[in-house]
Amino acid sequence: MNIYIADSYKDYTAFTAKHILHFLEKKQERKEKLYISVSSEYDTKDIYNAIAENVQNYKINFKNIFIFQQSEYMGIAPNDKNSKAYFLKENLISKLNIPEENAFLFDGTKDESQMDKQQEIINKIGRFDVIWYSLTADSTSAGNERMSSLSSLFRVKTLSEHSINEIKDRFEDENKVPTTVFSMGMGFIDIVDTVLLTSSGIEKSCSLRDCLEYGISNSSPLSKLQKHSDVTVIADYESSLRLSSQTVFMKIQKN
C-alpha cells in the first residue's frame, strides 16, 4: 500500500490530479483501452477541475477510456443537477472529451435492469484497470453503507440517516431527497488491478483511520482494500490527523 499525505488541501487536489493523469498515461502505454470506475462523490469536484487544467501535459487518448459510474440516486433523472450522472458529465466527461458511448452511467428514473446490463458488460471485460473511491465521513463510498456486504456486486442500497443528512441541503423539496441508490458493491475490488482511495478534511479522519488501521469489517466497508495488492491512498493533512504514528512514520511517503 502506498500512502501519500499532502500538506494542504490545495496540494492534495493538485497531487491527486497529477497522480491520476500519470497513471492513465503510463497504463495506456501498455494497454490501449482502459476500463475505470470513477468516484462521483461531490468532494471530488476540485480534483476533476485540476485534472482538466493539467491534462494537456499528458499523452492520453480519452477515446479509448471507458468509465463506469459507481452509484446513482434512485428517482433522480440524469439531467437533474443533483444526480451523480450530471455531476460526472459536467465535471469530467465534457471537460475531457470522453465519447458519450464510453460512459456507462445510471439513470435514476429507470428500473434495476440497468444494473444487470452494466454487469454483463463488465463480465465481458473481465477486469477493471482502476477503481477510485472517495471516502466519506461515515466510512463509506459509492452507496456502500456501513454493514454492507464485502462481496456484493451491483445492487440497490438504502441510504443511512447519516448519508441522507449529508445531501438533503442540496434539495429544495425535502420530499425529493433520495433514500436509495444503485450501488457498485465492494465485490468489485476483487476484479480490479489498482485501487485509489482519496480522503480530505478533518471530518474524514476517523474514517481513514478505520479503513487503514483496524481490521477488515463491513462496519467500515472500504477496509476491504487492506486485502488488495495494489492500493494508493492520497489524503490531505487534516484527514490524516488520527492515523497512528506508526502508520505515519513507517508506511507513508509524504508528498
Side-chain angles (χ1 to χ4, degrees), residues 192-204:
V192 64
D193 293 335
T194 301
V195 181
L196 172 63
L197 177 67
T198 56
S199 177
S200 65
I202 187 67
E203 70 279 4
K204 313 284 182 60

Side-chain angles (χ1 to χ4, degrees), residues 58-162:
Y58 297 83
K59 295 179 181 179
I60 303 172
N61 182 2
F62 286 100
K63 291 183 179 180
N64 286 331
I65 291 180
F66 298 82
I67 290 174
F68 289 81
Q69 184 179 355
Q70 293 178 359
S71 64
E72 182 58 275
Y73 301 124
M74 295 184 69
I76 307 295
N79 60 351
D80 188 311
K81 291 185 178 181
N82 288 311
S83 79
K84 296 192 174 191
Y86 183 91
F87 175 85
L88 288 175
K89 287 180 181 178
E90 287 294 300
N91 294 287
L92 176 66
I93 296 168
S94 63
K95 291 184 177 180
L96 299 182
N97 297 317
I98 296 172
E100 287 192 12
E101 61 269 23
N102 287 14
F104 299 95
L105 306 179
F106 289 120
D107 182 340
T109 64
K110 293 185 178 180
D111 63 27
E112 300 174 27
S113 62
Q114 60 190 308
M115 291 190 293
D116 295 331
K117 292 178 181 178
Q118 295 244 30
Q119 185 67 58
E120 289 175 10
I121 295 169
I122 293 169
N123 288 343
K124 290 179 181 178
I125 296 168
R127 292 189 69 79
F128 281 110
D129 292 285
V130 62
I131 290 179
W132 169 21
Y133 294 108
S134 179
L135 188 63
T136 73
D138 199 32
S139 300
T140 67
S141 187
N144 290 289
E145 299 291 342
R146 285 180 177 271
M147 309 314 295
S148 293
S149 166
L150 299 183
S151 60
S152 59
L153 301 178
F154 284 119
R155 74 275 198 247
V156 171
K157 286 296 294 181
T158 299
L159 293 174
S160 68
E161 184 177 350
H162 182 278

Side-chain angles (χ1 to χ4, degrees), residues 43-58:
D43 64 356
T44 58
K45 183 176 181 179
D46 290 337
I47 297 173
Y48 284 132
N49 286 338
I51 288 174
E53 291 171 0
N54 289 278
V55 69
Q56 70 276 4
N57 300 320
Y58 297 83

Side-chain angles (χ1 to χ4, degrees), residues 168-184:
K168 68 180 183 181
D169 290 342
R170 302 190 186 108
F171 294 82
E172 294 181 3
D173 185 348
E174 189 173 328
N175 294 321
K176 293 185 178 180
V177 178
T179 58
T180 52
V181 294
F182 296 125
S183 174
M184 177 182 282

